[in-house]
C-alpha cells in the first residue's frame, strides 16, 4: 500500500521510488477531527489495485454497451514519425484556446512557427455556441495574420492562394464517423451547451463570416478542416510522433489530467460490439477509442469512496451527476474540494461567518494555491502563501504567532479568524490528501484502460508508455510521481496475483508516464498529416 497523504507530506516521500517532494514535515500535530477528515479522503489508497480491477471490469462493459463512452474513432494506427507539411492547429479546452501554425518535417521533427493562447471568457461558456465559435474564428485570424506577416512573399502568396489545412483538438465529448466530422455531445467544465452541434459547421460558418469582413490590406486564407479529434487522442498521437515505440518500449495510451480528464487507447476491434466496429476503411486489428472516462458510466468503482464533500460539489455543479470521476481528479475541482473540506473542518470550532470570504465563496480557492502550499518548504512558508491569498492587504503585518479566533477582551464579540501555523499545516495536509487521492484514482483508471486493450498481458517484455498532458500532471508538484508510483504498485500486485505475467528475465514490469508537450497542438497537426497522407 502506498503512503497516505498525511504521511506523504510528513515524511517528505512520494509513492514513487524515484522522486521526493519538497515539503518538509509539518510542525504541528494532527488534531483528531482533522485526522477523521484525512481518513475519509485517504480511503482509496488502501486498495488501489482493487479499484484498478473495478475500473477494468466497468471499462470492458462500457466498451460493449455504452453509447456515449468508449467511442470508436476513425483512427486505426499511430503515426510513423514521417508525417510532413505545414498545418494550422486549433486546441479548444476547458480553460484555454490555443492556435498555432506548425511545420512537420518528418524524422519526428517539427517546428511551431506562430502561436497564440487565450483564456476562454466565462460568458462564452454560458452563451450560444455560435458566439463562442465566432470568437474562436477571430483568434484563428489573429494567428494566421501574424504568420503571414512574418513569412516571405512566396510563402504568403502560397497560403493565400491554396488556403491552410486545419487540425482540431476539441476537449469535449463528440461522436465521429469521419476525420472531418464531429457531433458535439453535452459539454462539462462549466460549459452549458445542451443541444447537439455540428463542430465543423460551427467553425466553418464562423470563419467564413470572418473572411467576409477582411480587406485587401489584411487578407486571410480559406481553411480546409482535415481532422478533428479529442485531447487524449492528440496526446497519444503527439507522443507517438516524437517517441516511437521501440524493441523495449511501446506507447499505447494517452491521458489528460488538467482542467478535466480523459483517456484513449488503441483497442482490439474484437473487444467492441458490431455496432462500434468500423464498416469501411482499411481492415486492422485495432482502433483508437475515445473513452470519455470521466462521465457517469465510470461511477461504480468510485462509489465506496465518495465523501460528503464530493456529494456537495456535485450537487452544486452545473450538471449534477454528469462527471463524477472528473470532479474527484480534475484541476477545476481540486481546489474546490480542498475549500469544502477546510470549510467543514474550520467551521467546527469557529462560526462560519468569521472565516475568510474566499473560503466561503464557491470556487474561491484556486487549485494552484493548493499546489503551492503543498510544495511549501515548511509551514511558515505555507502560512505566508495563505495570508497573501486570503488577505493580501494585511498579511505583511500579521505574524505567525497571531491567535486564532478568541473572545475579545472587551465586549463579547469574536475577533476575525486569522491564519496561523496550525491552520496552515491543516491546509497543507488536506491539500496533499485531495491531490494524492486524485493521483491514485487516475493511476487506477489508467491501469484499467490498459486492461481493456490487453497491453499488460500481450507485451510482457516492453516498458509501457502512457502519454500525458494537462496542467495537473505537468505542474502540480510530485503529482506525476505519485500517479506513476501507484501505477507501479498495481502492476507489481497483479504480477504477484497472476493477473498479468512476469517478464521472462525476472525484470520488473514497468509502466511509465511520458509527457506530450503541447500535445493538443502537436497531436492535431500530426493527425492532419496522417489524414493528408492517407495513413490512419
Amino acid at each position: 500500500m502506498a503512503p497516505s497523504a498525511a504521511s506523504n507530506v510528513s515524511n517528505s516521500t512520494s509513492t514513487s521510488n524515484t522522486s521526493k517532494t519538497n515539503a518538509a514535515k509539518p510542525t504541528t500535530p494532527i488534531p483528531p477531527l482533522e485526522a477523521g477528515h484525512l481518513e475519509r479522503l485517504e480511503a482509496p489508497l488502501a486498495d488501489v489495485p482493487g479499484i484498478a480491477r473495478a475500473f477494468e471490469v466497468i471499462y470492458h462493459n462500457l466498451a460493449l454497451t455504452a453509447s456515449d463512452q468508449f467511442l470508436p474513432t476513425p483512427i486505426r494506427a499511430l503515426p510513423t514519425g514521417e508525417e510532413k507539411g505545414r498545418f494550422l492547429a486549433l486546441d479548444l479546452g476547458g480553460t484555454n484556446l490555443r492556435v498555432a501554425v506548425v511545420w512537420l518535417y518528418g524524422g519526428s521533427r517539427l517546428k511551431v512557427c506562430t502561436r497564440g493562447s487565450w483564456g476562454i471568457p466565462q460568458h462564452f461558456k454560458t452563451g450560444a455556441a455560435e458566439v463562442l465559435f465566432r470568437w474562436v474564428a477571430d483568434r484563428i485570424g489573429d494567428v494566421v495574420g501574424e504568420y503571414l506577416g512574418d513569412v516571405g512573399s512566396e510563402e504568403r502568396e502560397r497560403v493565400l492562394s491554396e488556403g491552410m489545412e486545419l487540425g482540431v483538438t476539441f476537449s469535449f465529448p463528440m461522436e465521429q464517423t469521419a476525420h472531418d466530422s464531429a457531433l458535439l455531445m453535452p459539454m462539462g467544465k462549466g460549459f452549458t451547451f445542451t443541444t447537439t452541434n455540428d463542430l465543423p459547421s460551427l467553425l466553418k460558418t464562423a470563419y467564413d463570416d470572418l473572411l467576409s469582413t477582411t480587406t485587401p490590406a489584411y487578407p486571410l486564407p480559406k481553411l480546409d478542416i482535415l481532422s478533428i479529434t479529442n485531447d487524449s487522442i492528440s496526446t497519444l498521437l503527439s507522443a507517438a510522433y516524437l517517441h516511437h515505440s521501440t524493441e523495449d518500449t511501446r506507447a499505447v495510451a494517452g491521458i489528460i489530467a488538467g482542467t478535466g480528464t480523459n483517456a484513449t487507447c488503441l483497442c482490439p476491434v474484437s473487444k467492441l460490439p458490431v455496432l462500434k466496429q468500423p464498416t469501411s476503411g482499411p481492415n486492422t486489428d485495432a482502433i483508437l477509442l475515445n473513452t470519455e472516462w470521466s462521465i457517469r458510466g465510470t461511477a461504480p468503482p468510485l462509489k465506496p469512496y465518495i465523501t460528503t464533500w464530493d456529494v456537495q460539489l456535485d450537487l452544486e455543479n452545473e450538471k449534477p451527476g454528469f462527471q463524477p470521476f472528473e470532479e474527484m481528479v480534475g484541476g477545476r475541482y481540486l481546489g474546490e474540494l480542498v475549500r469544502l473540506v477546510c470549510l467543514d473542518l474550520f467551521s467546527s470550532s469557529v462560526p462560519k461567518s468569521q472565516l475568510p470570504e474566499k473560503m466561503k465563496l464557491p470556487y474561491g480557492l484556486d487549485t494552484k494555491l493548493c499546489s503551492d502550499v503543498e510544495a511549501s518548504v515548511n509551514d511558515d512558508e505555507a502560512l505566508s502563501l495563505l495570508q497573501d491569498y486570503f488577505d493580501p492587504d494585511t498579511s505583511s503585518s500579521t505574524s505567525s504567532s497571531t491567535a486564532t479566533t478568541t473572545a475579545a477582551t472587551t465586549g463579547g464579540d469574536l475577533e476575525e479568524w486569522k491564519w496561523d501555523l496550525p491552520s496552515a499545516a491543516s491546509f497543507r495536509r488536506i491539500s496533499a490528501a485531495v491531490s494524492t487521492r486524485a493521483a491514485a484514482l487516475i493511476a487506477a483508471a489508467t491501469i484499467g484502460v490498459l486492461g481493456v486493450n490487453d497491453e499488460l498481458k500481450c507485451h510482457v517484455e516492453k516498458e509501457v508508455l502512457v502519454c500525458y498532458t494537462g496542467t495537473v500532471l505537468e505542474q502540480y508538484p510530485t503529482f506525476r510521481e505519485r500517479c506513476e508510483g501507484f501505477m507501479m504498485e498495481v502492476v507489481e500486485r497483479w504480477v504477484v496475483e497472476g493477473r498479468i505475467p512476469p517478464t521472462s528475465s525476472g525484470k520488473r514490469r514497468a509502466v511509465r508516464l511520458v509527457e506530450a508537450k503541447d500535445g493538443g497542438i502537436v497531436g492535431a497537426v500530426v493527425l492532419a498529416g496522417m489524414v493528408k497522407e492517407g495513413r490512419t
Side-chain angles (χ1 to χ4, degrees), residues 204-234:
K204 186 177 185 305
T205 298
Y207 189 77
D208 286 347
D209 287 346
L210 175 64
L211 286 183
S212 68
T213 66
T214 59
T215 66
Y218 299 99
L220 289 173
K222 293 183 177 179
L223 288 185
D224 180 13
I225 301 175
L226 287 186
S227 63
I228 301 170
T229 194
N230 79 357
D231 49 358
S232 61
I233 292 172
S234 280

Side-chain angles (χ1 to χ4, degrees), residues 138-154:
D138 288 341
R139 303 293 73 77
I140 292 174
D142 292 341
V143 169
V144 173
E146 182 179 345
Y147 177 74
L148 294 177
D150 291 340
V151 299
S153 58
E154 183 177 345

Side-chain angles (χ1 to χ4, degrees), residues 520-533:
I521 289 292
V522 175
V525 299
V526 167
L527 180 55
M530 294 170 66
V531 170
K532 186 174 183 178
E533 296 174 10

Side-chain angles (χ1 to χ4, degrees), residues 400-459:
S400 61
S401 61
T402 52
T404 56
T405 306
T406 57
T409 54
T410 58
D413 297 333
L414 294 174
E415 292 181 356
E416 181 181 356
W417 184 90
K418 295 185 183 297
W419 289 99
D420 58 7
L421 283 174
S423 57
S426 294
F427 188 98
R428 282 181 82 197
R429 288 187 290 256
I430 290 169
S431 295
V434 169
S435 64
T436 302
R437 184 184 72 161
L441 293 178
I442 288 176
T446 301
I447 299 297
V449 165
L450 296 179
V452 172
N453 64 5
D454 291 333
E455 201 59 48
L456 296 174
K457 293 180 180 179
C458 296
H459 301 279

Side-chain angles (χ1 to χ4, degrees), residues 230-451:
N230 79 357
D231 49 358
S232 61
I233 292 172
S234 280
T235 295
L236 177 54
L237 296 178
S238 168
Y241 178 86
L242 296 169
H243 307 285
H244 288 307
S245 296
T246 67
E247 291 184 359
D248 300 318
T249 65
R250 181 173 165 83
V252 297
I255 64 173
I256 303 295
T259 303
T261 187
N262 198 12
T264 186
C265 66
L266 196 61
C267 181
V269 173
S270 61
K271 295 290 188 81
L272 302 175
V274 173
L275 288 175
K276 287 187 177 183
Q277 294 181 11
T279 57
S280 61
N283 292 323
T284 58
D285 295 330
I287 187 169
L288 272 180
L289 294 182
N290 169 20
T291 67
E292 293 300 338
W293 71 355
S294 71
I295 59 180
R296 61 178 65 89
T298 51
L302 305 171
K303 285 183 179 178
Y305 307 105
I306 296 292
T307 68
T308 54
W309 309 298
D310 298 304
V311 172
Q312 182 179 348
L313 186 150
D314 180 64
L315 290 175
E316 296 173 354
N317 196 5
E318 297 90 351
K319 297 179 180 178
F322 179 52
Q323 292 180 302
F325 183 40
E326 184 160 296
E327 289 173 354
M328 297 175 80
V329 304
R332 180 173 189 252
Y333 305 105
L334 296 182
E336 177 65 359
L337 282 170
V338 171
R339 185 189 73 85
L340 291 173
V341 179
C342 287
L343 188 63
D344 187 22
L345 176 64
F346 297 151
S347 63
S348 65
S349 58
V350 61
K352 189 178 295 186
S353 60
Q354 298 293 320
L355 295 175
E357 286 303 313
K358 286 183 180 179
M359 185 68 75
K360 295 178 285 185
L361 180 68
Y363 293 90
L365 201 161
D366 293 339
T367 297
K368 185 180 185 305
L369 173 69
C370 301
S371 70
D372 290 343
V373 169
E374 189 178 333
S376 299
V377 174
N378 52 44
D379 290 343
D380 288 290
E381 182 180 322
L383 175 60
S384 179
L385 289 169
L386 291 164
Q387 290 172 336
D388 286 343
Y389 184 86
F390 284 95
D391 194 6
D393 295 331
T394 62
S395 61
S396 60
S397 60
T398 305
S399 71
S400 61
S401 61
T402 52
T404 56
T405 306
T406 57
T409 54
T410 58
D413 297 333
L414 294 174
E415 292 181 356
E416 181 181 356
W417 184 90
K418 295 185 183 297
W419 289 99
D420 58 7
L421 283 174
S423 57
S426 294
F427 188 98
R428 282 181 82 197
R429 288 187 290 256
I430 290 169
S431 295
V434 169
S435 64
T436 302
R437 184 184 72 161
L441 293 178
I442 288 176
T446 301
I447 299 297
V449 165
L450 296 179

